[in-house]
Amino acid sequence: MELTHVAAPPDSMLERAVRAGPGELLWLGDAPFEVRCEPQHATGLLKIVAVAEGEGVVAQGGRRAILREGTFAWIQSDAPFELSMSRGRRLLLRLPLSVVQQRHPGVDLRTAVGRGEEHAGERVVAGLLRQILRESASLSERDCVAAVGVVLEAIGMCGRAPELPRARVERALAEIELRLGDPALQPADIARAQGVSRRYLDGVMAEQLGSSLAAHIRRRRLERAASELSTRPDDTVFEIAARWGFRDTSHFTRLFRGHFATTPAAYRRAALDGLSID
């Protein structure tokens, strides 16, 4: 495996190179190669290596991915990496990392992860890269600038960076508060907004808060209803219950009693009389 300290292919490997807007497109020759790069100078570049024919292996940051036809991976030019390619056609797109991060905060930019097969948005990006690679002879420099712009925008369709469990819980709690008054709100809606399964998010909620999504939504609705029972004396119990997602008054009363150990009517009387409710 050849060792290099420059995170850029030599001219002998290039079929074509075009500076395009904030980035640069590099069509690599079809000869096989193996390279280990230990950069000595920072460039601040994020590289996309895309494969249209053949296979490859990329390793960086303790991760290793096989690149099959129609897939791509990120490589950060300022960190050591290894890249091996069999004979075939491949494209390298170099973009300033800061530009990608500013344009698409939260996108998963973990390097040495094969992309373009499972995630729908990443399949779109892989398709764009593959077409750019195949149309090398037909694309003018102006076309290349436009193509890089399209890919840069499409990167926003890629998967989101993995979140820590606490961050997911905080997002879920904020979403619940925002939509608490929607009678149609379901726990699955909160999980879907994060692109995860309800089962997974229920597990995270239970681990962090000791409560499932459904239990938390129910508790917060009951607490909001209790607040209005003591502050909106002109509204009926039915109206308040309906406002917070409880369509059936008897069902609301059972849940309320289970949580506050008293009925909504008794809670309201005590609150209006200035008594404390424990």
Side-chain angles (χ1 to χ4, degrees):
M1 181 173 288
E2 180 184 354
L3 173 65
T4 180
H5 299 292
V6 180
D11 291 344
S12 59
M13 290 180 58
L14 298 179
E15 288 184 351
R16 185 184 181 192
V18 178
R19 289 198 172 277
E24 184 176 20
L25 285 167
L26 305 169
W27 285 264
L28 305 183
D30 63 0
F33 66 85
E34 294 184 351
V35 63
R36 177 163 59 92
C37 181
E38 297 179 358
Q40 293 183 338
H41 303 287
T43 62
L45 293 175
L46 179 70
K47 299 191 290 190
I48 305 174
V49 56
V51 179
E53 297 171 1
E55 287 191 346
V57 177
V58 58
Q60 188 173 50
R63 289 181 294 273
R64 189 177 188 86
I66 296 176
L67 296 177
R68 300 181 179 84
E69 292 185 6
T71 65
F72 69 96
W74 313 115
I75 300 175
Q76 286 203 20
S77 62
D78 295 343
F81 66 88
E82 295 180 0
L83 180 61
S84 304
M85 302 294 296
S86 67
R87 183 173 296 279
R89 304 190 65 196
R90 47 271 170 137
L91 178 74
L92 198 64
L93 169 57
R94 300 196 293 189
L95 293 164
L97 176 60
S98 60
V99 170
V100 178
Q101 290 175 327
Q102 290 170 10
R103 187 74 60 90
H104 304 297
V107 164
D108 183 5
L109 297 180
R110 288 176 300 160
T111 58
V113 175
R115 305 177 187 278
E117 293 182 317
E118 296 183 2
H119 189 278
E122 291 174 358
R123 289 198 297 271
V124 171
V125 173
L128 289 170
L129 295 168
R130 186 166 58 248
Q131 198 63 29
I132 292 170
L133 199 161
R134 290 174 175 169
E135 297 294 338
S136 170
S138 304
L139 297 176
S140 66
E141 291 194 9
R142 181 178 178 181
D143 293 335
C144 290
V145 171
V148 168
V150 170
V151 173
L152 179 57
E153 290 304 317
I155 287 172
M157 301 171 64
C158 291
R160 313 304 291 175
E163 289 188 86
L164 295 174
R166 185 63 199 175
R168 287 204 178 276
V169 169
E170 290 174 354
R171 281 185 61 194
L173 296 181
E175 183 77 9
I176 287 170
E177 291 301 310
L178 185 66
R179 302 178 59 185
L180 203 56
D182 178 4
L185 176 63
Q186 297 294 323
D189 299 331
I190 304 301
R192 193 177 302 113
Q194 296 195 29
V196 298
S197 70
R198 175 183 171 179
R199 181 178 180 181
Y200 169 78
L201 194 53
D202 265 336
V204 173
M205 289 281 290
E207 179 182 311
Q208 297 286 320
L209 299 180
S211 173
S212 68
L213 283 165
H216 181 79
I217 291 171
R218 183 168 57 249
R219 179 177 64 81
R220 288 297 297 131
R221 281 175 165 168
L222 288 170
E223 290 171 349
R224 296 292 287 272
S227 175
E228 291 197 357
L229 284 169
S230 60
T231 59
R232 304 184 66 156
D234 294 333
D235 291 352
T236 66
V237 171
F238 172 79
E239 289 171 337
I240 292 173
R243 188 153 51 239
W244 294 109
F246 301 101
R247 296 186 178 91
D248 184 279
T249 306
S250 59
H251 177 63
F252 170 66
T253 299
R254 285 195 301 272
L255 293 175
F256 195 95
R257 185 195 294 273
H259 187 73
F260 292 101
T262 187
T263 65
Y267 185 99
R268 165 173 272 177
R269 285 195 299 271
L272 295 179
D273 288 342
L275 301 178
S276 63
I277 303 296
D278 296 323

